[in-house]
Amino acid sequence: MQKLLKDLEEAKKQAEENEQRFRILFEKSIDGIILADLETLKFFMVNDQICSMLGYQREELINLTPHDIHVESELPWILNLLEKQCKGLVTLAENIPVKRKDGSVFFADINANSVTISGRQYLMGTFRDITDRLQSQQA
């Protein structure tokens, strides 16, 4: 019994350390990160960088969906890419127009893959702003 309690305590400690490592990596990323619930597509978790990129407070972004951050005219194409990312058929979506809270648009490469957290499936999207690169290529 004593060994079982010791093993449980060690497992709990390891889980807490893993969660702390995840949070550090998540929050310190130079790319914006969104975790979206695969069933509802509602944003479940966001990092500070994506909040800055989009101009929203964290509390505002939670429960938004891809419909809220993409240009309406591009939604059919973007939702098709998103579906392919959910299925693992595509990971990188390039040159995606992303709409900020103020309505302005920037372009991002979005890498996405599904992840399981506490038994629930999410799509984790990593957003890299490529607007400057596109503008320099056009010049």
Side-chain angles (χ1 to χ4, degrees):
M1 183 67 156
Q2 196 72 322
K3 178 166 178 13
L4 178 61
L5 290 174
K6 184 178 179 183
D7 289 347
L8 285 173
E9 187 62 36
E10 185 62 34
K12 181 181 175 186
K13 181 180 174 185
Q14 185 67 39
E16 289 170 355
E17 288 173 2
N18 288 342
E19 182 179 347
Q20 182 180 17
R21 286 184 193 116
F22 167 78
R23 288 201 178 279
I24 289 169
L25 292 171
F26 186 80
E27 287 303 334
K28 298 299 180 183
S29 174
I30 61 171
D31 293 325
I33 303 174
I34 296 175
L35 274 104
D37 185 292
L38 272 182
E39 289 180 22
T40 65
L41 292 183
K42 287 185 178 180
F43 300 157
F44 169 73
M45 192 175 195
V46 297
N47 71 352
D48 288 342
Q49 185 63 22
I50 197 69
C51 292
S52 178
M53 288 173 146
L54 295 172
Y56 287 95
Q57 296 296 315
R58 186 181 306 265
E59 297 76 25
E60 294 176 298
L61 268 176
I62 298 300
N63 293 318
L64 293 183
T65 69
H67 292 83
D68 300 304
I69 65 163
H70 291 290
V71 179
E72 190 172 338
S73 62
E74 301 291 335
L75 270 175
W77 170 62
I78 291 168
L79 292 175
N80 184 38
L81 280 171
L82 183 63
E83 184 178 335
K84 288 178 181 177
Q85 287 177 319
C86 288
K87 293 177 179 177
L89 301 173
V90 173
T91 54
L92 177 63
E94 297 179 286
N95 303 329
I96 304 299
V98 183
K99 183 176 62 173
R100 294 183 181 99
K101 182 179 179 180
D102 67 8
S104 63
V105 174
F106 69 96
F107 288 84
D109 284 349
I110 305 171
N111 272 300
N113 62 313
S114 62
V115 296
T116 304
I117 300 174
S118 300
R120 191 151 177 101
Q121 288 287 107
Y122 298 93
L123 186 67
M124 182 175 70
T126 305
F127 292 63
R128 176 155 299 165
D129 187 339
I130 60 160
T131 306
D132 290 342
R133 184 178 79 207
L134 288 178
Q135 288 173 345
S136 69
Q137 289 174 351
Q138 292 172 354

